[in-house]
Amino acid sequence: MAAQATFKSIKSLVPLFDRVLVQRFKAETKTATGIFLPSSATNHPLNEGTVIATGPGAPNKEGQVVPCAVKAGDKVLLPSWGGNSIKVGEDEYYLFKDGEILAKIQE
Amino acid sequence: MAAQATFKSIKSLVPLFDRVLVQRFKAETKTATGIFLPSSATNHPLNEGTVIATGPGAPNKEGQVVPCAVKAGDKVLLPSWGGNSIKVGEDEYYLFKDGEILAKIQE
Amino acid sequence: MAAQATFKSIKSLVPLFDRVLVQRFKAETKTATGIFLPSSATNHPLNEGTVIATGPGAPNKEGQVVPCAVKAGDKVLLPSWGGNSIKVGEDEYYLFKDGEILAKIQE
Amino acid sequence: MAAQATFKSIKSLVPLFDRVLVQRFKAETKTATGIFLPSSATNHPLNEGTVIATGPGAPNKEGQVVPCAVKAGDKVLLPSWGGNSIKVGEDEYYLFKDGEILAKIQE
Amino acid sequence: MAAQATFKSIKSLVPLFDRVLVQRFKAETKTATGIFLPSSATNHPLNEGTVIATGPGAPNKEGQVVPCAVKAGDKVLLPSWGGNSIKVGEDEYYLFKDGEILAKIQE
Amino acid sequence: MAAQATFKSIKSLVPLFDRVLVQRFKAETKTATGIFLPSSATNHPLNEGTVIATGPGAPNKEGQVVPCAVKAGDKVLLPSWGGNSIKVGEDEYYLFKDGEILAKIQE
Amino acid sequence: MAAQATFKSIKSLVPLFDRVLVQRFKAETKTATGIFLPSSATNHPLNEGTVIATGPGAPNKEGQVVPCAVKAGDKVLLPSWGGNSIKVGEDEYYLFKDGEILAKIQE
């Protein structure tokens, strides 16, 4: 279970290095017409999310800071494993390293 | 089981770095004349697929981006393990790193 | 359980290299009006803390010392695992490497 | 068990990077005079094979592509472990990295 | 259990490379007024010690010897794990690598 | 158990890179006067052998090939573990990497 | 149990690269007056030894050979683990890498 944050807004969180703060999409637990879905239909994790903020990038072997490949607002595909989670109010967020993010989602 | 995507078309997915998006070939579950094959004849995984999209490449130690060795449309041989899977509609896709792809299939 | 320090003040501790000395936030065990909370409400670890001191930084591959990305007084988000703990009086402190700290908290 | 290929000829397979496509020698299951050997005499794996094709080579740390040390037609000694297998028709093939191949066999 | 040394004085030990010889602080087993403490009060390991001697430093990737960050006489905070132990007479000593030492203690 | 080679002479084997082909010394199973020794006296592995052939050497990080430190005819001390074995006729041979060989034996 | 050497004198062994040949000190099994000590008093391994011979050193990343930090005749402190053992007659010897040796003993 993710640790509960003491701060009120996720905007307080400023990632360091090449870390990317992501809000995972939530599985719908009821349909558009308000019918609650059984848990069997909603228990697949969603590996997609929206980038909330990124760090400035990590230095490469030459000592130069390499900016992150994604930016705030990007929709991204996440790996099924890894990441650090933090819960702010009722929302759960994840921090991944830039290189762990699999793809951008451009609709 | 692969996570179900919220987006409708695999074309929405833009791989990052040296990642390669691949659609695995599907094992035929019925013959050309429409007879369904028993599962014992179809349960061997197919380690072949078609490249749907590739990332721009990953930077090497010198900081230069090395383009992927495969390109969209290539038919490729995949390792039996690894990769990240994502399900879009009824189709399952995989993301591999460029260096994990074993060979091109040129018929 | 963290080892008990023989020294009286955490100010005696001067981190080496890229290590960062952090005091984790404590979970409140009673409410503002003085009612003690049941342990079930307080047993989630808090992954936040305040930087007490940092080392001068670790040398990179070129031999140049890279200063820490955080400084004394910064509020930070910590990973759920890792770190070395030390107990000074009743307070528990942690030493993390600079690169393990996930994000700054700026309220 | 090796995955069955959908393509008909092993010549369709073009290894990438420093990968080497090898056909293992088959243990004889009957003698020259046509007597079938008991399985106990044939169940030792043969760690020898013939190189069918090689990739162009992998880039070294300087970014230069290093050609493979073996070439198509070479007979080689393989390690007992590792490699990726693929079955084309009734024949099983292996992909090894160039550096995993132990020796050439020159008779 | 630490191996017993054959030599009589710890001063005989000259660390190599970036190794640091440390004498751990001992837990008091009786109070100032001479009352013996129960073992439950003394069985927490003390992760502090005094540097007895250091090696000249280890060479970095450029081949240059990097001196240790601590020196003889320094009081230091040690990690809870690791190190090599040696017992000289009744006293137990530890050898850590310079980079494993967490912090200096300056009172 | 080592794989049986299909070739007749160990001279057919040409090691690649920094691999060294070694024939382990055999434990005597009978005394000089022809008395067979019990297996308890002969079951200690002999970690010595004679170098039969070496590869040209492996490239270092600069791309330069570093010749092997041993040569054909050298008697060497081998580690207790590791190596790839191959059986040619009744004789068992091993392939080690040059850097795994512990010492030369010069009598 | 260490493998028994076929050669008669440890002087036949010439270490390669950065390996150091060490003879561990033996625990006394009887006192100076000839009384045999019970095994409980002698079963602590002695992690000290005398350097018998060293290799020429291993090449660093620049390709330059770095001589060993110890030399024949040095008394040294060994780690409790690791090393390769070889028994010559009744004496057991160890080969360690130079960087694994903890300290010199100078009495």
Side-chain angles (χ1 to χ4, degrees), chain C residues 3 5-7 12 14 16 19, chain E residues 48 99 101-102 104-107:
Chain C
T6 62
F7 47 87
S12 299
V14 182
L16 290 167
R19 289 204 180 76
Chain E
E48 297 162 62
I101 294 179
L102 299 171
K104 287 192 203 179
I105 302 167
Q106 294 181 334
E107 286 180 287

Side-chain angles (χ1 to χ4, degrees), chain A residues 4-8 86-88, chain C residues 25-26 46 48 105 107:
Chain A
Q4 183 72 42
T6 62
F7 47 87
K8 295 291 174 289
I86 178 79
K87 203 169 178 184
V88 181
Chain C
F25 292 175
K26 283 185 218 177
L46 287 182
E48 297 162 63
I105 303 166
E107 286 179 289

Side-chain angles (χ1 to χ4, degrees), chain B residues 72-94:
Chain B
D74 281 351
K75 292 189 190 325
V76 293
L77 184 68
L78 303 168
S80 305
W81 40 262
N84 282 276
S85 62
I86 178 80
K87 202 169 177 182
V88 181
E90 288 303 302
D91 294 318
E92 199 165 340
Y93 297 87
Y94 286 80

Side-chain angles (χ1 to χ4, degrees), chain B:
Chain B
M1 190 177 179
Q4 184 71 43
T6 63
F7 47 88
K8 294 291 175 289
S9 165
I10 191 63
K11 290 183 182 167
S12 299
L13 216 51
V14 182
L16 290 166
F17 306 104
D18 57 347
R19 289 204 181 74
V20 176
L21 180 64
V22 178
Q23 184 170 21
R24 262 194 155 90
F25 293 174
K26 283 185 217 177
E28 297 294 328
T29 52
K30 56 180 180 175
T31 66
T33 53
I35 296 164
F36 279 85
L37 291 168
S39 66
S40 64
T42 61
N43 65 4
H44 298 305
L46 288 181
N47 288 334
E48 297 162 64
T50 303
V51 175
I52 303 297
T54 74
N60 64 9
K61 301 239 167 179
E62 307 293 309
Q64 293 171 314
V65 171
V66 180
C68 289
V70 296
K71 62 181 191 302
D74 281 351
K75 292 189 190 325
V76 293
L77 184 68
L78 303 168
S80 305
W81 40 262
N84 282 276
S85 62
I86 178 80
K87 202 169 177 182
V88 181
E90 288 303 302
D91 294 318
E92 199 165 340
Y93 297 87
Y94 286 80
L95 281 144
F96 283 91
K97 292 203 170 192
D98 184 42
E100 294 171 343
I101 295 179
L102 299 171
K104 288 191 202 181
I105 302 167
Q106 293 181 335
E107 287 178 288

